[in-house]
Amino acid sequence: MKKLKAIFLILLIFTLIFGLAYRAFDRVSKTESTEFLFDTYCTVTAYSKDADAAVSAVFDELSRIHSLTNFFDENSDVSKINRAANGEKVKVDPCVINIISKAQEIKLASDGAFDISIAPASMLWKFDENAPTPPTDEQINQALLSVGNSGLTVDVAEMTVSKVLDTAMIDLGGVAKGYAGDVALKILREYGVEAAIVDLGGNILCYGKNPNSKDGKWRIGLQKPFAPTGEYSNTVQLTEGAVVTSGTYQRYFEHEGEVYHHIIDPKTGRPARQSYQSVTVVAESSMEADCLATAVYVLGREQGETLARSRGAEVYFK
Ligand code: AMP
Ligand code: MG
């Protein structure tokens, strides 16, 4: 009997050791890092061996793109364009050329609902101030004179940008993070990272086999508007691509019982008023999805859905 007990114990120990060793061997290496950029927390998770260099290269590039596109940084390319006089050709980084070119394409496709020349109007809404108040009608009307007809021209060969109005300004807040997401994925792939998920505050991209799910797919929860972070309304399932959300709850203030949010209708210079609180777009590219999410929010359900579908993207309203 004693002998039997000993054999049983030895077998149990072997099973435990082999089980633990198998699990350790089976587990995919993970490198994760978070930094505050683009006014939000950006997290890159790479599932691959030795991905430190890849993740660090991603953050170097994200930080560079942020510096070039930051409206509030006087040394950014965006500030150089905004300070320029009419007709002046401003030499910019190729990444700014890419972003503005895509923005112009979506402006055309969305009948002006997405428009980076929104800056004179969007910057009137001071979301970060203490007890903000809405701008006056006069301020909005004055700003609207420079929105939509800025005459923004991109010369891809010369890498220059010019505008026809001195007062025209651009705001890349609705597209720069999307571009940055696409670049992040490109870098991770170039470094040979097998699978990754990139979360740039509402802009999520993924590719490869998700080691945390049985079927290798990624499941992205869609944030419930105005609910605590992590409370999801539903989940999008995908093998690779981008999931981008534009929501009124992301940046807003309340004044005299009214909520004023950051997605501005270029026709009125005021927050777009819709029956839903967020738009999520699923597409191959996060720059495309970023522009579309903002555009669809402004356009409304019917026109927005038509636009998204015409560009091969899925759209969810919440
Ligand atoms: P998103 O979170 O991608 O919807 O972008 C919203 C940000 O884009 C705002 O905070 C503004 O900086 C800018 N923006 C607001 N309205 C528009 C618009 N109609 N077209 C382009 N950019 C906009
Ligand atoms: Mg956007």
Side-chain angles (χ1 to χ4, degrees), residues 7 13 26 30 41 43 80-81 83 85 100 111 115 120 125 128 136 138 144 170 223 232 243 263 267 284 299-300 316:
I7 290 170
I13 290 166
D26 194 43
K30 171 177 156 178
Y41 287 99
T43 300
K80 285 178 196 155
I81 295 167
R83 278 196 302 268
I100 297 180
D111 200 15
D115 190 346
W125 299 86
D128 300 323
T136 63
E138 200 187 329
L144 284 178
I170 58 167
Q223 174 66 34
Y232 302 132
V243 181
I263 306 165
K267 288 200 175 85
E284 243 172 70
L299 282 174
Y316 300 86

Side-chain angles (χ1 to χ4, degrees), residues 231-261:
E231 213 173 284
Y232 302 132
S233 53
N234 61 318
T235 303
V236 171
Q237 193 174 284
L238 70 169
T239 48
E240 67 173 59
V243 181
V244 177
T245 299
S246 275
T248 60
Y249 59 91
Q250 291 164 336
R251 259 164 93 73
Y252 69 95
F253 66 80
E254 275 182 62
H255 178 73
E256 293 179 350
E258 188 94 32
V259 172
Y260 299 94
H261 63 81

Side-chain angles (χ1 to χ4, degrees), residues 64 68 77 92-101 156 159 179:
R64 197 182 75 87
L68 287 164
D77 277 1
V92 295
D93 189 271
C95 95
V96 175
I97 296 286
N98 279 333
I99 295 171
I100 297 180
S101 301
V156 179
M159 301 263 186
Y179 173 77

Side-chain angles (χ1 to χ4, degrees), residues 113-116 118 122-123 171-175 177 245-247 250-251 262-266 290 293-294 298:
F114 184 81
D115 190 346
I116 55 170
I118 193 75
S122 61
M123 293 302 161
D171 168 358
L172 301 184
V175 53
K177 256 193 309 174
T245 299
S246 275
Q250 291 164 336
R251 259 164 93 73
H262 71 140
I263 306 165
I264 308 296
D265 185 340
D290 197 359
T294 313
V298 173

Side-chain angles (χ1 to χ4, degrees), residues 168-189:
M169 292 192 293
I170 58 167
D171 168 358
L172 301 184
V175 53
K177 256 193 309 174
Y179 173 77
D182 287 338
V183 171
L185 241 64
K186 186 167 173 276
I187 293 172
L188 292 167
R189 286 185 200 269

